[in-house]
Amino acid sequence: MISSAHYSIEHLRLCAAGVDLHVVVQGDGPPVLLLHGFPDHWAVWEPVMARLCRSYRLMAPDQRGYNLSDKPASLHSYGIDCLVNDVRALIRVLGGRCALVGHDWGGMLAWTVAARYPDEVSHLVVVNAPHPCRFAQQLRDDPAQRAASDYVRRLTLHGVEELLADHDCARLLALVQDSGAVALSDGERMQCLAAWSQPGALTAMLNWYRAANFDAALVGPGVDAVPDLSGASGHIAAPTMVLWGERDGSFPVACLDGLQQWVPNLTVHREPQGGHWLLREKPERVAQWIAEFLSARRGV
């Protein structure tokens, strides 16, 4: 067996939709783009990349506002259209069509790109992130989802950056460790602290939430999708796999209900003992699921 060390990690800077993004590339084979969520950065994918790099060309960016990527000052720069355009620019770098994998905000963004631009996504893998149409339904109709999503309101409050930075980012560390369910190594802990300590990073990360239209989903008749799909129906043409840790405190398991009305070619793996950070809890299992899914559907 070829060791993953044979495929060294490359750190690059790429111009996306008007911003420079720090990206990490590893491996050889069909292209796969990996999108992290809040409050992570590219390194959350590192254990998965080490297991997939023998078969795939993997790219994991620091998304705009995060870690070593640019941090525009304007709130408008974190709107969903800008985020989608970043992903499309990276897809073009990878050759114009690729498998798209996302977790949390990265998963919501992956759903959105696949719905708006189906020709650019060969396969879709989403880890603990609801389909935009189902999420809008949940926010409108499910008190449990509204309660679970109340953290979004708190993250948009004035001065929350200072609160999150207190005591060496203790609240953020508790978040990614799922209140003790996930154990970070000393190296992972230092990586997280270094990313959150980048000038302007906390404000930029929070601006993803401030620029999103979550409030509109909670009033009146609500909205059709969160994030906005810009007129797309929400239909996902690509073969799709959803991985779900059932102990997720942000997205109840009900987010999986009725998915096939939008996602006809769907595979779902539920992990009863997993939480929101399934990537950190069970990276070997996540990598295995991704490898089996992409290998079985390579000709689709």
Side-chain angles (χ1 to χ4, degrees), residues 188-227:
E188 289 170 326
R189 191 183 186 89
M190 294 305 295
Q191 280 184 322
C192 288
L193 290 173
W196 300 331
S197 299
Q198 294 294 321
L202 288 179
T203 294
M205 292 156 53
L206 293 167
N207 279 346
W208 282 53
Y209 290 97
R210 290 167 175 151
N213 194 19
F214 286 103
D215 288 345
L218 301 173
V219 298
V223 295
D224 292 333
V226 178

Side-chain angles (χ1 to χ4, degrees), residues 102-121:
H103 169 250
D104 183 77
W105 246 117
M108 297 175 75
L109 184 53
W111 281 120
T112 305
V113 173
R116 289 192 188 186
Y117 301 100
D119 291 343
E120 299 180 17
V121 179

Side-chain angles (χ1 to χ4, degrees), residues 11 22 24 36-44 46 61-71 161 164-165 168-169 172-173 176 184 186-206 280:
H11 290 263
H22 168 251
V24 170
H36 68 79
F38 177 89
D40 287 314
H41 61 292
W42 77 267
V44 73
E46 193 167 9
D62 287 329
Q63 299 212 66
R64 72 163 61 197
Y66 283 83
N67 195 26
L68 302 179
S69 288
D70 282 357
K71 301 165 183 63
E161 290 92 333
L164 294 179
D168 291 328
C169 298
L172 287 176
L173 284 170
V176 298
L184 294 183
D186 289 343
E188 289 170 326
R189 191 183 186 89
M190 294 305 295
Q191 280 184 322
C192 288
L193 290 173
W196 300 331
S197 299
Q198 294 294 321
L202 288 179
T203 294
M205 292 156 53
L206 293 167
R280 285 196 172 93

